[in-house]
Amino acid sequence: MITFLIAIVILIIGYFTYGKFVEKVFGVKDERVTPAYANTDGVDYIPMNTKRNSLIQLLNIAGVGPIFGPIMGALYGPVAFIWIVFGCIFAGAVHDYLTGMISIRNRGAHLPELAGKFLGKAFKHVVNAFSILLLLLVGTVFVTAPAALIADLTPAWISMSVIIAAIFVYYIVATLLPIDKIIGRLYPIFGAMLLISAIGIGGALVIQGHPIPEITLQNMHPGGLAIFPLLFLTISCGALSGFHATQTPMISRTTQNENQGRKIFYGMMILEGIIAMIWAAAGMALFSGQGLNEILAAGGPAAIVSEVSIVTLGAIGGTLAIIGVIVLPITSGDTAFRSARMIIADYIKVGQKKIMSRLWIALPLFVASIALTQIDFNILWRYFSWANQSTAMIALWVGAMYLALQRKNYWIAIIPATFITMATFTYILNADIGLRMPIGVAYFGATLVTVGSVIAFFLTVRSRLAANDSGIRPIKVDEELEKSA
């Protein structure tokens, strides 16, 4: 219990200390015009206040990831707490803040465009494909996951197909309409439901005295799965998630002032980390490792969510908590498809003021997602985890390059970028959905890739700064914006 409470306190302190430090390193300019005003189009570029942007950002990034991931990560024991706390403060929140703020400085650009600008043109095409794949997987996972939870609360005659169809209808509407019409109006309500749900579960764990284990580095996974790299891909949302890099640019297009960035981007990631801590603690406190593993095998994380909610809050309170959890994936699924539509539109340079321009881009995405719903959830989640952390890796390298080219403290980005590069490539080389190499070979190969990435980073920085100093190729990391009439 003490470990759990201290972890929550550290996360909060992290926002006020390291978050402030990261903001200072970046260098906020209050007087600078943001894309919300410079590019106002009434669809995606619309100024909204800090409270609304913060709630939308939280619901954008907090799908089932900070619940399902930590529940599965709970199998490893309290070592999961360490990754959630320090991963969130020093990696995930930094990742979200830099992605959002660099996007603000570049007309609300999405990750593929930023990767092309800061890492090389080839990366724009690679990251574009990666981002669309990730968003499709997210959108699909965030259809099937809430559908399963809704099915448990509705009469048997309402089939899963009907529930999935209803969710898709909502996604289509939310993807096509201006951001302030559906998302901007519903998310404050959904945000309240989410916070009440999380506070209810967390409070019940403490008040009812459930035995949350204290900190230990021991691997408690009943199947003996290795902590590295599996834990760091199992718990992504809630610690470090590349999916967030596809969501923050959406809010960079609605942010009124740069000084709001720390609360919107860094702060909401910290809040997601607290949600992840609550669900990881619930998984450890209410189930033994073996019992948790058996329920996960039989009914997946959704079964754990239902069991935890009912046990801690009773039938009525538990049902309300489950509804709060259902809100999470739905409010990330809609923005996943919206982001995919925006990324494709930016890539092929098609304006989005006309609804038909949005429609012909969005519909193929939904068709592909419907086909993916036929694939087993556990398989989808594993591919999602791989694509997710690969995207986080790229986003952190973008952040490091941006800071380096401005001769600022790039270590705040390069350290987590190096770590997640090693973890991701170890997983890719070793996993059965990857190259299936022996773990020793995977460690060696991932080390070579990671060292090579670091060397390439410093050589590129040196070359580009030298070109800038000589006047051969001036660096323009920020685009100047003028407020539209």
Side-chain angles (χ1 to χ4, degrees), residues 47-340:
M48 295 193 295
N49 61 40
T50 306
K51 181 179 179 181
R52 181 176 291 188
N53 277 329
S54 296
L55 284 172
I56 293 175
Q57 174 68 5
L58 174 62
L59 290 169
N60 283 356
I61 64 177
V64 289
I67 297 177
F68 283 17
I71 285 174
M72 292 186 285
L75 290 169
Y76 294 88
V79 68
F81 293 156
I82 299 175
W83 168 232
I84 292 172
V85 171
F86 293 100
C88 188
I89 294 172
F90 298 106
V94 173
H95 167 282
D96 290 11
Y97 182 81
L98 290 179
T99 304
M101 296 303 292
I102 295 170
S103 177
I104 286 177
R105 293 280 178 90
N106 286 272
R107 299 183 180 275
H110 277 273
L111 184 60
E113 187 175 341
L114 296 177
K117 180 173 183 176
F118 294 105
L119 301 182
K121 292 182 178 179
F123 275 91
K124 178 178 181 178
H125 308 297
V126 173
V127 177
N128 189 75
F130 235 92
S131 297
I132 299 303
L133 171 63
L134 174 60
L135 289 167
L136 266 177
L137 290 171
V138 167
T140 305
V141 167
F142 292 173
V143 169
T144 56
L149 289 169
I150 292 173
D152 289 337
L153 300 178
T154 53
W157 58 267
I158 301 179
S159 68
M160 278 287 289
S161 298
V162 171
I163 296 172
I164 288 174
I167 294 173
F168 268 120
V169 169
Y170 166 73
Y171 282 177
I172 292 171
V173 173
T175 300
L176 296 178
L177 290 184
I179 193 168
D180 62 336
K181 301 303 181 187
I182 297 291
I183 293 174
R185 292 179 181 178
L186 293 181
Y187 273 35
I189 300 171
F190 290 160
M193 293 171 63
L194 160 65
L195 294 176
I196 291 171
S197 171
I199 292 171
I201 298 294
L205 290 176
V206 175
I207 294 171
Q208 295 171 9
H210 291 284
I212 303 173
E214 304 301 341
I215 195 67
T216 174
L217 297 179
Q218 181 183 355
N219 182 1
M220 297 183 176
H221 197 289
L225 297 182
I227 290 176
F228 189 90
L230 295 177
L231 175 63
F232 305 99
L233 279 89
T234 301
I235 302 179
S236 50
C237 296
L240 169 64
S241 171
F243 171 63
H244 300 185
T246 68
Q247 301 299 290
T248 50
M250 187 185 308
I251 303 304
S252 75
R253 299 183 181 195
T254 62
T255 301
Q256 296 171 320
N257 192 290
E258 285 191 359
N259 64 19
Q260 299 169 348
R262 181 164 66 98
K263 181 176 182 180
I264 295 171
F265 302 121
Y266 196 100
M268 293 306 100
M269 180 61 212
I270 293 295
L271 190 51
E272 183 184 271
I274 293 173
I275 294 171
M277 280 293 303
I278 289 170
W279 283 99
M284 295 179 205
L286 299 180
F287 309 94
S288 65
Q290 187 59 44
L292 180 61
N293 198 34
E294 290 173 357
I295 297 176
L296 284 172
I304 299 294
V305 169
S306 298
E307 183 74 13
V308 167
S309 299
I310 299 300
V311 168
T312 57
L313 300 177
I316 297 176
T319 300
L320 293 175
I322 293 170
I323 293 173
V325 171
I326 290 171
V327 162
L328 282 174
I330 290 178
T331 55
S332 289
D334 56 7
T335 53
F337 286 112
R338 189 180 187 91
S339 292

